[in-house]
Amino acid sequence: MHDVRTVGAPSMPRLAAASLAGTAIEFYDFFVYGTAAALILGPLFFPTFSPPAGTLAAFATFGVGFVARPLGSVLFGHIGDRHGRRPVLVFSLMLTGASTVAVGCVPTYDAIGVTAPLLLLVLRFLQGLGLGGEWGGAVLLTAEHAPAERRGLWSSFPQVGPAVGFVLANGVVLALSATLTEAQFARWGWRVPFWAAGVLAVLGLWLRSSLPESPRFLEIDDHARVPLAEVVGSHWRLVLLTAGALAVGYAIFYAVTTWSLAYATERLGVSRTVMLACILAAVAVQGALTPLAALLGDRFGRRPLCLTGCAASALWMFPMVALLATGEPLPMFVGFLGALVAFVTMFAVIAAYLPELYEPRVRCTGAAVGYNLGGVLGGALTPIVATALAEDGGRVPWGVAAYLTGIALLSLGCFALLPETRPVRVVATGAEAEAAAG
């Protein structure tokens, strides 16, 4: 057996802060592309398309990042289950940061023709590959150090990272939008947030350089030789259920932060600055509420909060779309906030819930693959499908609301088939959780 290095309670704030910072930086990289896709990439990289078709094409390159994420979870999950959680954090951050900086350097279609969108596609794929590994490593390193009775709380800090990354990404774009002319923003301003990713990546690597390895990983005697094969062979149903369960969270988040931005600026004539401010404020509140929701998960269980969040999502999608269609800042903010509160009710506890469902020897692969497959189902398709549905509707795109409600009901059914894992009530190994799930 490996020698286990113990980590005292005072180390938990440092571990949580480093995990939060890393996920914030990597999600900054991922989100800044989504914002650019909604606002500017269509005319710059697909100028021969009509404006709606150009937006759809830009969202298609956006979706490629989600397709790459499960592949990244397989690649980095193998490293995490075979060689430790810590190396995953370093290599995934390097890959995502480098590819994001490179996006900011790609010449436009007018300069190099069709090569420009092809380069965009490749770099977006590499972004997704890195992010697919990031979540599993950051969450497991925190969750496997945390005391069982507060695992939900400490594991929620990496889940705050996406909100922080989004606020950073959109804050930079908002500042540039407010200070540059349309011509300046189109010529060079949109590139600045991508270049800033390089500075953030260096900061993240410095923060993670001294993190200790997970004690739970060091206790494992027989590491899985091929973690993916073991996950597919023994836990395939659990993977599919978790992917379906998480789809609604991705669908809601990217409907709010990506599709609505394009829809309101193109179809409703809302200014880019107003939309970014509304979305930014709603996501900031969501991030602040994440630890509170995680504490409720430690108190009442993971599964009840997930079921509540799904049900609230199903009930709120039609009001959210109606509020968006007003084009007025306050109603739009209320619509976005309601959706993101439902979202965070689920996703605040997911960082504790998913690892608890899998046995430690394949936990990095299993949890990350399920998490990122949910991103393909909910995140990759939602901006594309919603944009297409909105084109066929009137001022209020009810088809988008129906689509999001359907995903919420699908996820509700998947969560209903998953077991509870809260340690104070159930001491469950991955094998027991799998048996309870099916």
Side-chain angles (χ1 to χ4, degrees), residues 264-275 324 327-328 332:
T265 53
E266 293 176 5
R267 293 286 299 276
L268 304 180
V270 182
S271 79
R272 182 170 60 213
T273 302
V274 168
M275 279 305 297
L324 169 64
E328 297 296 326
M332 290 192 298

Side-chain angles (χ1 to χ4, degrees), residues 184-239:
Q184 289 172 326
F185 186 79
R187 189 165 60 251
W188 59 267
W190 69 272
R191 299 182 183 274
V192 174
F194 292 95
W195 294 337
V199 178
L200 294 175
V202 172
L203 173 63
L205 290 171
W206 175 74
L207 286 171
R208 289 180 164 181
S209 61
S210 60
L211 289 181
E213 183 53 81
S214 157
R216 193 70 187 90
F217 172 79
L218 295 172
E219 291 173 350
I220 300 171
D221 284 326
D222 56 335
H223 297 282
R225 293 189 61 186
V226 184
L228 179 63
E230 193 166 321
V231 167
V232 172
S234 302
H235 305 290
W236 63 270
R237 187 173 184 271
L238 189 56
V239 170

Side-chain angles (χ1 to χ4, degrees), residues 78 83 177 253 292 356 377 385 396:
H78 183 91
H83 305 289
S177 297
F253 191 86
L292 175 61
E356 288 168 351
L377 294 174
V385 172
V396 183

Side-chain angles (χ1 to χ4, degrees), residues 57-349:
F59 280 153
T61 63
F62 175 73
V64 166
F66 286 96
V67 175
R69 283 174 64 170
L71 299 178
S73 65
V74 170
L75 171 64
F76 288 102
H78 183 91
I79 295 171
D81 285 324
R82 291 283 298 162
H83 305 289
R85 321 310 192 196
R86 189 174 174 274
V88 171
L89 299 183
V90 175
F91 294 126
S92 63
L93 184 58
M94 290 173 62
L95 177 59
T96 308
S99 56
T100 304
V101 172
V103 170
C105 301
V106 175
T108 62
Y109 185 94
D110 288 342
I112 60 174
V114 72
T115 305
L118 290 176
L119 284 174
L120 213 58
L121 201 68
V122 171
L123 292 171
R124 180 60 176 173
F125 181 87
L126 293 175
Q127 266 192 329
L129 204 67
L131 191 62
E134 160 65 24
W135 185 86
V139 162
L140 289 190
L141 199 63
T142 308
E144 292 182 340
H145 276 94
E149 68 278 5
R150 283 289 177 262
R151 187 176 296 138
L153 173 64
W154 290 115
S155 301
S156 74
F157 284 93
Q159 293 296 84
V160 178
V164 174
F166 183 87
V167 170
L168 283 174
N170 282 262
V172 172
V173 175
L174 180 61
L176 291 167
S177 297
T179 56
L180 300 178
T181 66
E182 290 288 336
Q184 289 172 326
F185 186 79
R187 189 165 60 251
W188 59 267
W190 69 272
R191 299 182 183 274
V192 174
F194 292 95
W195 294 337
V199 178
L200 294 175
V202 172
L203 173 63
L205 290 171
W206 175 74
L207 286 171
R208 289 180 164 181
S209 61
S210 60
L211 289 181
E213 183 53 81
S214 157
R216 193 70 187 90
F217 172 79
L218 295 172
E219 291 173 350
I220 300 171
D221 284 326
D222 56 335
H223 297 282
R225 293 189 61 186
V226 184
L228 179 63
E230 193 166 321
V231 167
V232 172
S234 302
H235 305 290
W236 63 270
R237 187 173 184 271
L238 189 56
V239 170
L240 294 179
L241 283 176
T242 53
L246 299 180
V248 64
Y250 284 100
I252 288 173
F253 191 86
Y254 288 100
V256 169
T257 61
T258 303
W259 168 74
S260 67
L261 180 58
Y263 176 78
T265 53
E266 293 176 5
R267 293 286 299 276
L268 304 180
V270 182
S271 79
R272 182 170 60 213
T273 302
V274 168
M275 279 305 297
L276 287 171
C278 289
I279 297 169
L280 198 69
V283 174
V285 175
Q286 170 227 309
L289 291 176
T290 300
L292 175 61
L295 276 173
L296 293 175
D298 281 331
R299 175 68 179 84
F300 299 107
R302 327 300 191 202
R303 187 169 171 270
L305 262 71
C306 291
L307 292 171
T308 301
C310 278
S313 300
L315 293 171
W316 188 248
M317 293 302 96
F318 278 89
M320 183 196 79
V321 167
L323 291 167
L324 169 64
T326 67
E328 297 296 326
L330 183 57
M332 290 192 298
F333 167 74
V334 171
F336 297 155
L337 182 61
L340 292 179
V341 168
F343 160 82
V344 81
T345 304
M346 296 174 280
F347 269 54
V349 300

